Amino acid sequence: MNAPSPAAGIEWRISDALVPYDEAEAIMAARVEAIRAGTAPELVWLLEHPPLYTAGTSARASDLIAPDLLPVFQTGRGGQYTYHGPGQRVGYAMLDLQRRGGDLRAYVRDLEEWLIRTLQQFNLKGERRAGRVGIWIDEGGGKESKIAAIGVRVRRWVSFHGVSLNVDPDLTHYRGIVPCGVREHGVTSLAALGITAAMPEVDTALKTAFREVFARTAHPQPAPTGSGPRGLALPRRPD
């Protein structure tokens, strides 16, 4: 289902069926090239994947605890191992970062703010943590759990990959990996926190929060020198 967004001419796409990971990567790569060529608008794509693990560019083999539990995909996004599956809303953002200041660190902070404002609509306080990528929930008693992940890739200053928010996934699947390399904290979801939310409600919250955060960042911007750095080691660096 496609619908144009009134914010900055961004197209929104929502996939109701599970999308295979390799298919999603191919679609994202093609869209990034089209955005760069000026033949397609920016795109935010909301979807769910079948159960799988992805390994980012910083993934350590020792963090894959159960390599035979689920399919594992090597990916060019930043970060380490993460899980995707039904009940988790993935938001892939293909945005022209030249129009948004060409600042990769600011872009990652905007992704964090997008998730934080989404969670606020469910009366949850999502928080950043120094040295840890993603959004965290303080559950009290010294317990902190990750509810949303961020993994970014940038090609010639157009972003792809993005965020994932745990709505009601099978949290036992996280036992097969060390999520994002963090061993001392757990993972949670809206459902695990007692919040019943249908995926369309989550989508509405994501759209509202996205427009609040990203509409203000879209403006004409001179191209950074060159076509962008080429290496990728962390979520904040482009290729």
Side-chain angles (χ1 to χ4, degrees):
M1 179 172 63
N2 296 318
S5 163
I10 296 172
E11 177 188 346
W12 285 81
R13 177 181 300 173
I14 299 175
S15 293
D16 296 323
L18 300 181
V19 180
Y21 190 78
D22 50 358
E23 178 182 322
E25 280 212 310
I27 291 171
M28 282 192 289
R31 186 56 170 252
V32 165
E33 293 304 315
I35 292 169
R36 183 64 183 172
T39 59
E42 296 174 306
L43 172 67
V44 178
W45 185 11
L46 304 180
L47 57 94
E48 295 169 86
H49 287 302
L52 57 92
Y53 299 130
T54 62
T57 55
S58 302
R60 297 184 293 251
S62 60
D63 287 346
L64 182 59
I65 297 169
D68 298 325
L69 180 62
L70 296 175
V72 179
F73 291 85
Q74 302 295 321
T75 178
R77 64 156 176 81
Q80 301 183 44
Y81 281 103
T82 193
Y83 166 73
H84 294 308
Q88 180 193 77
R89 183 51 103 201
V90 175
Y92 288 140
M94 285 143 273
L95 304 177
D96 182 351
L97 299 188
Q98 288 181 196
R99 298 178 56 214
R100 301 169 191 280
D103 186 332
L104 298 178
R105 291 183 181 276
Y107 174 60
V108 172
R109 281 195 68 83
D110 283 342
L111 292 178
E112 293 169 342
E113 187 66 20
W114 178 22
L115 292 165
I116 288 169
R117 294 194 187 199
T118 298
L119 291 169
Q120 285 174 349
Q121 295 174 69
F122 296 98
N123 297 314
L124 284 177
K125 184 181 180 182
E127 299 179 311
R128 300 174 175 90
R129 288 291 182 266
R132 294 188 236 149
V133 178
I135 299 301
W136 298 79
I137 299 291
D138 184 347
E139 298 193 64
K143 180 182 180 181
E144 294 184 350
S145 299
K146 189 172 188 175
I147 195 169
I150 297 172
V152 175
R153 187 172 182 179
V154 179
R155 179 175 294 162
R156 298 178 66 202
W157 297 103
V158 178
S159 68
F160 54 130
H161 296 276
V163 304
S164 59
L165 174 62
N166 288 342
V167 180
D168 189 14
D170 184 348
L171 294 179
T172 66
H173 283 160
Y174 280 96
R175 297 174 185 170
I177 57 173
V178 178
C180 301
V182 178
R183 295 178 179 273
E184 61 270 30
H185 299 287
V187 292
T188 191
S189 65
L190 294 179
L193 294 170
I195 296 172
T196 301
M199 202 61 79
E201 294 177 78
V202 175
D203 293 343
T204 297
L206 283 164
K207 287 181 179 181
T208 298
F210 183 93
R211 290 165 181 161
E212 291 174 355
V213 174
F214 284 94
R216 61 179 168 78
T217 68
H219 53 82
Q221 192 67 227
T225 303
S227 59
R230 298 299 301 174
L232 179 75
L234 296 171
R236 294 169 173 80
R237 294 185 181 176
D239 67 353

